[in-house]
Amino acid sequence: MANHKSSKKRIKQTITRNLNNRYYGKITRNAVRKLRATTEKGEAATQLVAVSSMLDKLAKKNVIHANKAANLKSKLAKHVNKLA
């Protein structure tokens, strides 16, 4: 177990950040799933804006890699454009 004050603080910070990252990652994954399940173009287009914003924020905070966010956004945009 940690003996130094700074290492105890780091452990607490790591736990908090880990929980936050898991939460935001989960709600983003659910939003992506919901968007992929959508079959209506107008609704999907509005969801795409929100999901893209979420992915950009996660990439900015290093919760997910920037390239992963870009790949997901690209695939989702293709999906929305395919809808009739």
Side-chain angles (χ1 to χ4, degrees):
M1 188 62 197
N3 292 322
H4 296 284
K5 199 177 193 181
S6 61
S7 55
K8 289 179 183 176
K9 180 180 177 181
R10 295 298 297 165
I11 290 168
K12 286 197 294 188
Q13 285 179 331
T14 302
I15 291 168
T16 305
R17 287 184 184 139
N18 188 283
L19 288 173
N20 284 336
N21 290 346
R22 280 175 43 197
Y23 171 73
Y24 288 115
K26 186 68 173 175
I27 62 170
T28 304
R29 280 195 304 275
N30 288 340
V32 168
R33 282 191 198 107
K34 186 178 175 187
L35 176 57
R36 284 189 176 135
T38 305
T39 56
E40 199 176 308
K41 182 154 182 135
E43 186 182 334
T46 56
Q47 284 182 0
L48 178 64
V49 174
V51 172
S52 295
S53 174
M54 291 170 81
L55 290 169
D56 286 336
K57 286 177 187 172
L58 289 181
K60 185 178 180 183
K61 293 179 182 179
N62 289 323
V63 175
I64 60 173
H65 197 277
N67 290 349
K68 180 170 179 67
N71 288 337
L72 280 171
K73 284 170 33 180
S74 172
K75 287 176 185 174
L76 291 172
K78 276 185 184 177
H79 170 71
V80 171
N81 289 335
K82 256 193 240 178
L83 296 175

